[in-house]
């Protein structure tokens, strides 16, 4: 049999970048390719056996919730938080290690994606039924995929053309009136060629105002997405390509309400169009030393046209990316990966308000990297990487990263990592949802490139308890910024100030997680995370606003008998935190409190499986907790007190849903 590795499906692990997939996460099968054996766990969540701290989320885990899109796929995950960024646009944001999702490098099939203009709504751009698996890497990641990972990477693998032949569909409807349909199928054209088509459409055309403040709680949304994929699977050459198009329209604000006699309603209207394409080429040169070369090319076009009351925002972003990678084994214990990359971004923006702001930004960044791995059996793995990039805006910068894994026995696994990350802030594009506010937008000139160190340690224990194993994991991560673009909502309650960091900014995160299968078919997971995030605002070190101090999670899954039924329940307890400095109302009272309290959320789902289809029903936020008065100054949305961005909790009540999944394999 042939012995080779396909470059980089996981950020720190060379396996299957070109579409072999992660199906093993959900089965008990072992897959052998020459001297390489991959053994998976029955659970839909598993730790990768790599040097980095990587969590694999497989298809089985994704089925535990409705999982309409990437954001909703983290409902049962203790590490990744998802919440709405504001109460007007429906933009969702994730947080990892206590920091905003902009510090997480987003990858689709190991290609950097959804940067800049795509960031605010990117979690809704990936339909859940399209996903084959997700890999979440915490802390400093491999230097292969670039320099932008600061708190980690999230890589999404889509269903593959060359996989087991399938045709599937998913229909979903909830009590808010949202309807969603997904279709997918692949076809083997010849012994070598295969193709796949994935389609998605969703519509929410009902306005809901549960608290009666005149503003819709969820915007109306129409979105359509289509992706075409192709694959050639040769003996020494593999080719994959994809073309994807998306169009989305959002409407929010005061739908049908007026503030005063003769005053127009405050409306929000956002249209996004996005087109993506990639091509991957892998050449296997030497089977004995696992020597291979890969060339990856990708590009995207994104156009946004948005109206926030009287503010008009238009933007276009074009991105091109190329990466040439080389890997080889230098001996029994040594391997080397090296490569070059080129990234080009062009962003054109226009903001019309009381004044006109026009901004064009062009950045080209070539880079080179080398990564060495030493492996001593299954006990010790050490990986060091170094890359050097030259930005046409920020000049030359160097990214060092180091990982270490030590497993003295089958019970204990220790990991450690340290590394630096950089990113170029595109503040208006990444935060344009903040325009749904009466605050003035102030952007300083000459914003620095963001630069931070991340340090992490973790221990995983697999402890025999009775006839089963108790899995216990504990980890600590520290992120320290040397340079940062600070979004200052504290210094002036009537302004949003984007400025360079002048002082300290850091995040401490501690997490412990325990999983145990109490009896056949029933697994319980409990997790607790404590976060301490602070940043310097106007010379004062303060707790970062809108960030929960802690999170507790308890999730249970039960699949009795032959697995025809599955029951899933997840309870989250989210700790309180601070809020930005409030402005004063006409009566001299603060518009909101200085802190918010903790809250709980409960979700549940039951699924009945049949041979070629399944039906599921469930609820989200069953506890019906809602943030009171999420929109500030609703009586005068054209005034300076208006603000829809002070969001720290759910903005809508309980949602119940029903859906059906159809699946035909080996058609």
């Amino acid at each position: 049999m042939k012995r080779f590795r396909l470059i980089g499906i996981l950020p720190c692990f060379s396996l299957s970048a070109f579409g072999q997939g992660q199906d093993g996460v959900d089965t008990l099968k072992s897959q052998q390719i020459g001297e390489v054996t991959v053994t998976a766990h029955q659970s839909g969540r598993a730790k990768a056996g790599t040097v980095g701290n990587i969590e694999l989320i497989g298809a089985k885990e994704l089925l535990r919730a409705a999982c309409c899109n990437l954001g909703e796929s983290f409902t049962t995950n203790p590490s990744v938080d998802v919440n709405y960024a504001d109460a007007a646009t429906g933009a969702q944001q994730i947080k990892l290690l206590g920091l905003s999702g902009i510090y997480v490098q987003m990858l689709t099939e190991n290609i950097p994606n959804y940067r800049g203009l795509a960031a605010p709504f990117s979690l809704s751009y990936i339909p859940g039924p399209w996903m084959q698996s997700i890999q979440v890497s915490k802390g400093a990641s491999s230097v292969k995929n670039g320099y932008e990972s600061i708190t980690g990477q999230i890589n999404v693998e889509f269903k593959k053309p060359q996989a087991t032949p399938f045709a599937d569909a998913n229909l979903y409807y909830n009590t808010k009136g949202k309807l969603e349909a997904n279709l997918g199928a692949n076809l083997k054209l010849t012994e070598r060629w295969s193709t796949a088509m994935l389609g998605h459409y969703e519509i929410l055309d009902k306005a809901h105002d549960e608290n009666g403040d005149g503003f819709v709680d969820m915007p109306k949304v129409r979105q359509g997405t289509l992706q075409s994929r192709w694959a050639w699977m040769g003996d020494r050459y593999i080719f994959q390509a994809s073309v994807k198009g998306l169009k989305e329209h959002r409407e929010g604000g005061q739908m049908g309400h007026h503030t005063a006699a003769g005053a127009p309603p405050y409306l929000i209207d956002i249209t996004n169009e996005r087109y993506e394409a990639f091509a991957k080429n892998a050449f296997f040169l030497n089977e004995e030393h696992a020597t291979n070369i890969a060339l990856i090319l990708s590009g995207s076009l994104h156009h946004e046209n948005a109206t926030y009351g009287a503010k008009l925002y238009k933007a276009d972003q074009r991105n091109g990316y190329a990466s040439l990678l080389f890997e080889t084994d230098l001996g029994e214990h040594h391997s080397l990966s090296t490569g070059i990359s080129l990234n080009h971004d062009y962003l054109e923006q226009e903001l019309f308000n009381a004044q006109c702001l026009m901004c064009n930004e062009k950045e080209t960044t070539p880079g080179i990297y080398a990564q060495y791995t030493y492996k001593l059996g299954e006990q010790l793995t050490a990986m060091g990487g170094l890359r050097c990039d030259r930005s046409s805006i920020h000049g030359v910068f160097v990214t060092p990263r180091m990982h270490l894994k030590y497993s003295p026995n089958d019970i204990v696994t220790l990991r450690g990592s340290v590394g630096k990350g950089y990113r170029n802030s595109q503040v208006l594009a990444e935060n344009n949802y903040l325009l749904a506010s009466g605050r003035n937008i102030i952007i300083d000139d000459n914003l620095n490139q963001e630069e931070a160190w991340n340090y992490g340690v973790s221990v995983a224990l697999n402890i025999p308890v009775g006839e089963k194993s108790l899995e216990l994991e504990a980890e600590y991560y520290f992120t320290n910024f040397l340079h940062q673009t600070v979004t200052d909502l504290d210094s002036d309650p009537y302004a949003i100030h984007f400025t360079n960091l002048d002082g300290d900014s850091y995040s401490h995160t501690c997490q412990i997680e325990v999983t145990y299968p109490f009896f056949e078919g029933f697994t319980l997971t409990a997790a607790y995370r404590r976060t301490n995030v602070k940043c310097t605002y106007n010379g004062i070190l303060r707790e970062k606003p809108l960030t929960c101090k802690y999170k507790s999670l308890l999730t249970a899954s039960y699949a009795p008998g032959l697995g025809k039924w599955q029951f899933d329940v997840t309870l989250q307890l989210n700790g309180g935190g601070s809020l930005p400095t409030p402005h004063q109302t006409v009566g001299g009272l603060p518009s909101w409190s200085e802190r918010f309290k903790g809250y709980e959320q409960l979700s549940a789902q039951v699924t009945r499986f049949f041979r070629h289809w399944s039906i599921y029903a469930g609820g989200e936020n069953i506890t019906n907790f809602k943030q009171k008065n999420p929109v500030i100054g609703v009586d005068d949305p054209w005034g300076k007190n208006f603000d829809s961005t002070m969001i720290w909790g759910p903005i809508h009540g309980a949602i119940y849903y029903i859906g059906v999944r159809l699946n035909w394999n080996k058609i």
Side-chain angles (χ1 to χ4, degrees), residues 274-561:
R274 182 174 178 84
Y275 305 94
E276 305 172 20
F278 74 75
K280 296 181 176 182
N281 303 268
F283 305 89
F284 309 112
L285 306 179
N286 186 295
E287 300 171 9
E288 181 66 24
H289 295 285
T291 304
N292 49 70
I293 294 178
L295 175 64
I296 301 175
L297 304 171
S298 73
S300 65
L301 302 173
H302 194 119
H303 173 73
E304 180 171 320
N305 193 345
T307 300
Y308 299 89
K311 302 172 185 175
L312 305 179
Y313 176 72
K314 295 179 63 176
D316 286 281
Q317 185 167 19
R318 299 188 287 272
N319 173 263
Y321 173 80
S323 179
L324 180 65
L325 307 92
F326 171 79
E327 289 194 346
T328 187
D329 287 345
L330 302 176
E332 181 182 358
H333 305 294
H334 313 274
S335 62
L336 176 68
S337 174
T338 186
I340 58 175
S341 64
L342 178 67
N343 187 77
H344 176 77
D345 268 315
Y346 178 77
L347 176 62
E348 182 179 1
Q349 302 177 93
E350 297 178 346
L351 175 61
F352 300 92
N353 193 11
Q355 58 183 1
C356 176
L357 171 65
M358 302 183 67
C359 176
N360 296 334
E361 182 178 305
K362 182 187 297 183
E363 182 183 26
T364 302
T365 309
I368 185 171
Y369 81 89
Q371 184 168 276
Y372 165 77
T373 303
Y374 173 79
K375 187 172 184 179
L376 183 62
E378 298 298 325
Q379 290 187 328
L380 178 66
T381 304
M383 183 178 75
L386 185 70
R387 68 175 296 131
C388 180
D389 296 88
R390 185 186 184 280
S391 165
S392 58
I393 297 176
H394 302 288
V396 177
F397 52 97
V398 177
T399 308
R401 291 177 185 172
M402 181 72 183
H403 294 79
L404 182 68
K405 186 187 82 164
Y406 178 55
S407 302
N409 49 52
D410 294 336
I411 297 178
V412 180
T413 299
L414 304 173
R415 286 183 172 90
S417 65
V418 58
K420 184 180 278 192
Y422 299 84
R423 68 180 302 273
N424 181 27
S425 297
Q426 298 171 337
V427 292
L428 196 56
E430 295 169 345
N431 301 278
N432 65 75
Y433 61 87
L434 294 176
L435 294 174
S437 165
R439 294 175 180 248
N440 294 321
I441 304 293
I442 303 173
I443 304 175
D444 287 355
D445 295 329
N446 302 317
L447 292 176
N448 293 328
Q449 182 183 38
E450 295 191 277
E451 178 183 359
W453 282 96
N454 183 278
Y455 310 85
V457 292
S458 66
V459 56
L461 303 176
N462 195 1
I463 306 171
V465 177
E467 297 181 355
K468 301 178 176 63
S469 293
L470 182 145
E471 298 178 4
L472 188 149
E473 299 177 14
E475 59 190 33
Y476 165 74
Y477 283 92
F478 172 54
T479 306
N480 185 42
F481 284 90
L482 305 180
H483 298 285
Q484 186 180 18
T485 300
V486 176
T487 305
D488 187 357
L489 301 172
D490 266 297
S491 300
D492 184 351
Y494 299 102
I496 303 173
H497 190 187
F498 296 99
T499 183
N500 286 316
L501 175 67
D502 184 13
D504 294 329
S505 180
Y506 57 79
S507 169
H508 295 274
T509 303
C510 301
Q511 180 172 307
I512 185 168
E513 179 180 348
V514 181
T515 300
Y516 186 70
F518 281 89
F519 51 87
E520 186 67 27
F522 180 80
T523 301
L524 187 69
T525 297
Y528 178 80
R529 186 181 71 243
R530 192 79 183 181
T531 302
N532 180 23
V533 185
K534 291 188 176 181
C535 183
T536 302
Y537 300 100
N538 197 25
I540 302 174
L541 184 64
R542 303 181 182 180
E543 183 180 332
K544 192 173 182 65
L546 304 173
T547 301
C548 293
K549 293 286 289 183
Y550 68 84
K551 175 181 178 179
S552 298
L553 181 140
L554 185 66
T555 179
S557 179
Y558 179 47

Side-chain angles (χ1 to χ4, degrees), residues 68-130:
C68 294
N69 54 49
L70 177 61
E72 296 181 10
S73 67
F74 297 113
T75 302
T76 60
N77 192 284
S79 300
V80 182
D81 297 327
V82 181
N83 197 9
Y84 286 100
D86 66 279
T89 68
Q92 289 181 311
Q93 64 176 357
I94 64 170
K95 289 185 179 180
L96 182 65
L97 304 186
L99 294 172
S100 169
I102 60 175
Y103 298 111
V104 179
Q105 186 179 27
M106 296 295 299
L107 308 170
T108 52
E109 308 209 344
N110 274 312
I111 300 175
N113 205 350
Y114 300 120
R115 303 161 64 251
L117 192 58
F121 302 104
S122 61
L123 296 181
S124 65
Y125 290 166
I126 301 179
W130 289 18

Side-chain angles (χ1 to χ4, degrees), residues 549-588:
K549 293 286 289 183
Y550 68 84
K551 175 181 178 179
S552 298
L553 181 140
L554 185 66
T555 179
S557 179
Y558 179 47
L562 300 176
K564 292 184 178 180
W565 289 89
Q566 180 166 325
F567 303 89
D568 295 284
V569 179
T570 300
L571 174 65
Q572 292 186 41
L573 301 176
N574 300 279
S578 69
L579 291 170
T581 303
H583 48 61
Q584 305 298 313
T585 62
V586 177

